[in-house]
Amino acid sequence: MNTVSDRWNEERVPRPISDAEKAYKARLKEQPAEPGHLTNPTALALWMDAELRKSEPAWAYNEANKALLSSLKWWVLGNQYEFTKSAYDLSAVKGGRSLNKLNTQKGVLIYGKYGVGKTTIMRVVAKALGFKQTTCINVIADYNGARSLRKYELGDWYFDDLGREREPQFSKKGELKLLSDLLEQRYFNRRGRTIVTTNLTLEDIGELYGERMRSRCFEMFNLYALGSPGGVDYRTTK
């Protein structure tokens, strides 16, 4: 994989950073949950509720995000028995049998339309476990700045908004499959779990990144869909 931009030696002018981006980066530096929260399901649920309301003051529960949080609670705690029992499974089914086998050793991929709460929930989940967090756009920025992507290949990482880096304003020729290359490298390294949120369906992932990447998703991730098929945007319906 070529990890050096063709523009590596161009003089670069620092881009302006908005207040929203500064606030987002500040949140990423917050400390993870205290160990006690990771041993008691009730304490963890209370901690996650407090974090959700702190990050999103207008946070509201609905049937979909309640079911998601109920399942992810057991993933965070590493309780395979209860995690399997949670039976949260909206993945593809083949021959009457789900292809999504819930396993605490795998990462998590959540797909759904804009505004259903994917990022809000997974920032809290990632914080609880001490995952490092970034956006897929920031990964592209690192690539364009000629810095090595090696730091993303190991350890526990949360990559937000898979697919947005493919938009023309962020991506250039030769960079279009950078994220799929990175995820595949993490798949082979097997030294850290991965969280991904995306607006893409599994079919979209197959079309944009190739069928091999779509197939890898079943092996790398516990797969979740959040929100209605119509894509209700809870940010605009409160």
Side-chain angles (χ1 to χ4, degrees):
M1 180 181 69
N2 180 15
T3 58
V4 178
S5 170
D6 293 335
R7 301 181 295 115
W8 68 271
N9 60 347
E10 290 181 7
E11 182 178 354
R12 302 196 178 280
V13 178
R15 65 181 179 83
I17 300 177
S18 67
D19 291 340
E21 186 175 353
K22 289 178 182 177
Y24 174 71
K25 290 184 176 180
R27 284 198 298 271
L28 296 186
K29 294 179 180 179
E30 293 180 5
Q31 296 299 309
E34 295 294 327
H37 294 86
L38 302 181
T39 59
N40 184 307
T42 301
L44 175 62
L46 290 172
W47 180 87
M48 292 176 73
D49 176 72
E51 289 294 317
L52 286 166
R53 296 181 188 282
K54 183 165 67 175
S55 62
E56 178 52 70
W59 174 257
Y61 288 100
N62 56 62
E63 185 177 349
N65 60 39
K66 280 182 181 178
L68 174 62
L69 286 163
S70 177
S71 180
L72 287 178
K73 173 179 65 179
W74 299 114
W75 180 76
V76 170
L77 293 171
N79 189 320
Q80 179 63 38
Y81 175 73
E82 292 293 345
F83 185 48
T84 303
K85 267 178 59 178
S86 71
Y88 190 116
D89 194 346
L90 294 179
S91 67
V93 174
K94 186 175 183 179
R97 182 174 62 84
S98 170
L99 298 175
N100 182 23
K101 297 179 181 179
L102 298 180
N103 190 312
T104 58
Q105 299 304 308
K106 296 196 294 186
V108 170
L109 184 148
I110 298 181
Y111 53 100
K113 297 294 184 181
Y114 292 97
V116 296
K118 303 183 301 296
T119 298
T120 300
I121 289 174
M122 295 317 295
R123 280 178 183 167
V124 171
V125 169
K127 181 180 176 181
L129 288 170
F131 276 50
K132 289 172 281 188
Q133 305 185 39
T134 191
T135 66
C136 292
I137 292 174
N138 281 340
V139 172
I140 290 291
D142 276 355
Y143 174 76
N144 285 334
R147 298 186 294 274
S148 172
L149 297 183
R150 195 176 298 269
K151 69 179 182 181
Y152 298 121
E153 294 178 1
L154 303 175
D156 297 323
W157 275 94
Y158 166 32
F159 300 104
D160 182 38
D161 223 355
L162 178 69
R164 185 130 191 266
E165 86 286 352
R166 299 288 300 263
E167 296 177 7
Q169 64 266 40
F170 303 116
S171 184
K172 299 174 179 61
K173 188 176 181 180
E175 301 169 9
L176 296 180
K177 292 191 176 181
L178 181 64
L179 263 294
S180 61
D181 289 342
L182 175 60
L183 291 175
E184 185 156 348
Q185 187 62 51
R186 289 181 58 81
Y187 169 81
F188 284 111
N189 289 340
R190 297 185 184 273
R191 293 178 60 186
R193 289 182 295 177
T194 309
I195 294 173
V196 170
T197 48
T198 181
N199 298 318
L200 305 174
T201 65
L202 289 175
E203 290 72 21
D204 293 335
I205 290 173
E207 290 179 9
L208 290 174
Y209 299 102
E211 278 303 307
R212 184 169 65 178
M213 186 64 247
R214 190 191 74 86
S215 177
R216 291 271 191 261
C217 286
F218 293 100
E219 300 176 62
M220 287 184 69
F221 303 110
N222 299 291
L223 302 170
Y224 293 87
L226 181 61
S228 68
V232 176
D233 187 336
Y234 294 107
R235 287 184 298 225
T236 61
T237 57
K238 293 171 184 174

